[in-house]
Amino acid sequence: MTGRLVLGGAPLGQPGDVGPRLRRVMAEADVLAVEDTRRLHRLATDLEVVFTGRVVTFHESVERARLPGLLAALADGATVLLLTDAGMPSVSDPGYTLVRAAIEAGVDVTSVPGPSAVTTALAVSGLPVDRFCFEGFLPRRGGERRSRLAGLADERRTMVFFESPHRLADALADAASALGADREAAVCRELTKTHEEVRRGPLSALAAWAADGVRGEITLVVAGAPARAVTMDAAALAAEVAAEEAAGATRKDAIRAVVARTGLPRRTVYDAVVATKDT
């Protein structure tokens, strides 16, 4: 019988955010694959957990080299706990390659859900959270970063980014240029930690604030593009819906897609489809 890979959600800053289930898995796991062994020992001390499993490092530079050994342990029936420095593994952290390899090997993959900087920042940002996308880290080079942001200018969903403190000012300035100086955003710094700070406002104002220098772990939340109503007659709207249906969408989903794309009321699009059908 194969073992089990467990993805553990590590606290962002407060050890008290960890529940009893992660404590139990830490104590019982046969292998603990961790991004930083020092953080593991610190977390174990804070949680008053004594672990007896074998500890192996699992960070970006050794991720692929560790796969054969971890897969062998899983094949032998071991429980492997994967812990990154903070938040959930695989979310801009090591883990994806191991998860894919374990799945392909027929190993059970589960998780002990825990804190996530992405959803925490969304919740406190004050921006719409009904639809969002996670863009990870922006490119380090200015030209590549500006190109990425330009491609997101029409993204309607709220966007979440990770950014390093020493690149934050440039990233905010580039975002203001590409997305609009008045686009609302929130810079979430040191989430859940002693010096937690959430700065909300237009991108231009946040860029000016960050120009003096910012420290700590940064999660950036940016509002999606506002709806841009377009002028289309009934026949054109019906054709848009028909094209979505031809691509495999249901009538309901096709209308929803056209509403999202055009910014027009759902009733307007629906009536156009009905009117064109009647004609």
Side-chain angles (χ1 to χ4, degrees), residues 57-71 94 96-98 100-101:
T57 55
F58 194 82
H59 48 77
E60 186 177 1
S61 61
V62 300
E63 193 169 353
R64 292 194 177 276
R66 291 285 188 267
L67 290 182
L70 291 173
L71 290 173
Y96 171 76
T97 55
L98 179 57
R100 285 303 314 167

Side-chain angles (χ1 to χ4, degrees), residues 10-18 85-87 114-121 124 188-198 217 219:
L12 302 179
Q14 299 293 332
D17 291 341
V18 170
D85 288 348
S116 167
V118 176
T119 52
T120 302
V124 302
C188 305
R189 188 179 70 84
E190 295 289 89
L191 284 169
T192 79
K193 300 177 185 177
T194 302
H195 300 291
E196 176 180 287
E197 179 181 21
V198 180
E217 300 285 337
T219 305

Side-chain angles (χ1 to χ4, degrees), residues 41-63:
H41 288 285
R42 190 181 312 143
L43 180 61
T45 299
D46 289 338
L47 300 179
E48 299 181 340
V49 171
V50 177
F51 58 86
T52 59
R54 177 167 58 94
V55 178
V56 299
T57 55
F58 194 82
H59 48 77
E60 186 177 1
S61 61
V62 300
E63 193 169 353

Side-chain angles (χ1 to χ4, degrees), residues 118-141:
V118 176
T119 52
T120 302
L122 274 168
V124 302
S125 69
L127 298 171
V129 297
D130 53 333
R131 297 176 69 237
F132 70 90
C133 60
F134 175 56
E135 288 291 325
F137 283 94
L138 286 166
R140 299 184 180 208
R141 297 179 181 275

Side-chain angles (χ1 to χ4, degrees), residues 1-5 30 71-80 106-109:
M1 181 178 294
T2 59
R4 185 172 58 141
L5 173 62
D30 301 299
L71 290 173
L74 290 164
D76 287 340
T79 293
V80 176
V107 172
D108 182 31
V109 179

